[in-house]
Amino acid sequence: MTDDTTPMTDGGTDEEARTDGGPPATVPPDDETPTWSERKEHTSGLAQLTYQYFERSRREDENLRAESTYVERDVLGFPTWPHETIRNLAITSFFVGIIILIAAILPAHYGEPANPGATPAIILPDWYLYWSFGLLKLNPINPNLAVLGGNIAISNEFLGIIAHGIVFGTITLVPFLNKGGARRPVEEPFWAAVGVTGVVLSITLAALAIQNFFPITLDLLLTLTFMLPLVGGIITYAVLKTMREGYMYDLNRRYYMLRPPK
Amino acid sequence: MSLKKQDDMDHNAWLKKQDLTVIETAFLTTLIWLDKRLRIVDYLELLETMYYRANMQMPKSHTEQYDLDNKFWYWYPLYSLGSLSIIAYLVAAVSGALLGFYYSPSTAGAAAQGDPTAAYDSVVMIMTDVQFGFMLRSIHSWAAQFMVAAVFLHMLRVYFTGSYKEPREVNWILGVILIGLTLLFGFSGYVLPWKQLSFWAAQIGVEMALATPLVGEWAAQLLFGGFTLGQATLVRMYILHVFVLPFVVTGLIALHVGIVWVQGIAEPH
Ligand code: HEM
């Protein structure tokens, strides 16, 4: 176009309007994809909140990245092929090999056919359910829990079910009870002690399940079932608490310089 | 907008303008031909992105940055316990599928109480008649026990490294569900041969279910097919063991590992 002011057929002077004679076209009619913020303005209620949150969280992410003190590596990461793949194949073959080896030298046991008429002297599940079976054998402590003048308030079986609920419930709640950035057991002796108590309890409960094999009285076994975990927990707590000071000094120097403890 | 073909999209004209060797021309012509029909370029781009992701320049990890490696290397094997659970699960799945060819979930065939049932006999048959069957059953049993052991230990490693903390609570809860289902896997499998211990383990299961208030009877009927053990119990345990649990557990493991993938492994500090 040599002369911008040449009048057009309709008397206008706008170059852009020449194509279809409509109003000045700033946006081509077939390219109306709304931008992110336009979409946000058009929506309302929950959708708008969602967009707003997305934008916030993206900004937060960007800020965190900008503030990060991470140092870039000067080497590339290990390639997936061949390093990772071959290492994983090696671990896998080794582990499967061990399963097959053990299966060969310690063949699976088989027993008598089922007989609904004859209760066997010893009923046991596989070893990994011993702890659960132990929880079902807590009936001797049931009367202690009764509120009404020595009457058994709940059936022995239901006590076992409640015990299972408590175990699974406690494990589920762990992340909501123990918060913060600490990772090492020395940083949180209490929670390490809780963990050790749990592990020892699972073992003593398993022992309670196979009580017939222990040459000690049931009373003693029951006491031990609950005392040993506590002892284990207390020892853990004491040891870690003692180690803590020296360890934390090191940790603080190395690590908390950049990220203060919560 | 004009419908006329735009010149800068005329790839052949663009090709002619370039000063290319025969090989380059042939390659580009083929690529353009294929791309017009199959949108090859999109997939190439995806592949390229994947390549760069896999070989990405990673930020220094915490362990590297503070030179903690000398303190931590001996913990690293514990970080493979989750993968070992999966491997044992796969071995159990394959050997279990093979056992399934021969096993029959039926309590038929017992003339008197205490006689072998069809289920019991089919396991005897696997152990004595089927080629390699004794070994197969042994492998299945040990794979199951390795899986449970690995899952237990995996949970302990997650606990003692504090890896369940924010933002990994969901994965911890998924884990609790997974360990419960793994134990249920073991329990339902234990019942299948219908041997003496199978029967009485299931008997305890029914009694526990019945002792639960409100939902107890319903649960007993759903899981054990009634209040006394019999054919219905065996079939329910069978369906649970070879149909319901495999799908649910495989799906949950995929979700669990997917979340680990997205969140990354929690490093020890
Ligand atoms: C079928 C059972 C399970 C399978 C196959 C499985 C698999 C995995 C795998 C492969 C990982 C990657 C890291 C690693 O291997 O250590 C992982 C991480 C994790 N698992 Fe499991 N898991 C199972 C059960 C559990 C249980 C019982 C829990 C806890 C209650 C749990 C909680 C977690 C958590 C919190 C992570 C993230 C840890 C981190 O980021 O360091 N999982 N799981």
Side-chain angles (χ1 to χ4, degrees), chain A residues 71 73 103 106 109 111-112 114-115 118 124 127-128 157-158 161 171 178 180 182-184 191 254-255 258, chain B residues 57 60 62 66 120 123 137-138 142 145 159 162 164-165 172 186 190 194-196 204 208 211-213 269:
Chain A
V71 182
R73 283 178 211 226
L106 296 171
H109 168 83
E112 300 290 298
N115 184 352
L124 274 184
W127 59 267
Y128 47 78
E157 285 85 4
F158 188 45
I161 291 172
I171 297 177
N178 180 20
R183 296 255 185 246
R184 297 188 190 187
W191 284 97
R254 281 169 181 279
Y255 168 47
L258 286 167
Chain B
Q57 180 118 4
K60 260 195 182 172
H62 183 89
Y66 297 99
Y120 185 90
V123 178
R137 176 164 179 262
S138 199
W142 276 105
Q145 309 203 22
Y159 182 89
Y164 51 80
K165 293 180 178 178
W172 174 265
Y190 194 67
W194 213 243
K195 52 184 175 160
Q196 186 64 326
I204 291 178
M208 299 318 296
T212 316
H269 289 164

Side-chain angles (χ1 to χ4, degrees), chain B residues 79 82-83 85-86 147 151 154-155 157-158 163 168 171-172 175-176 178-179 182 253 256 260 264-266:
Chain B
Y79 283 69
S83 316
S85 320
I86 297 180
M147 177 178 174
V151 172
H154 169 63
M155 183 167 106
R157 111 72 186 135
V158 169
S163 304
R168 297 185 175 78
N171 235 4
W172 174 265
V176 176
L178 271 174
I179 202 174
T182 308
I253 288 180
H256 188 74
V260 172
I265 304 277

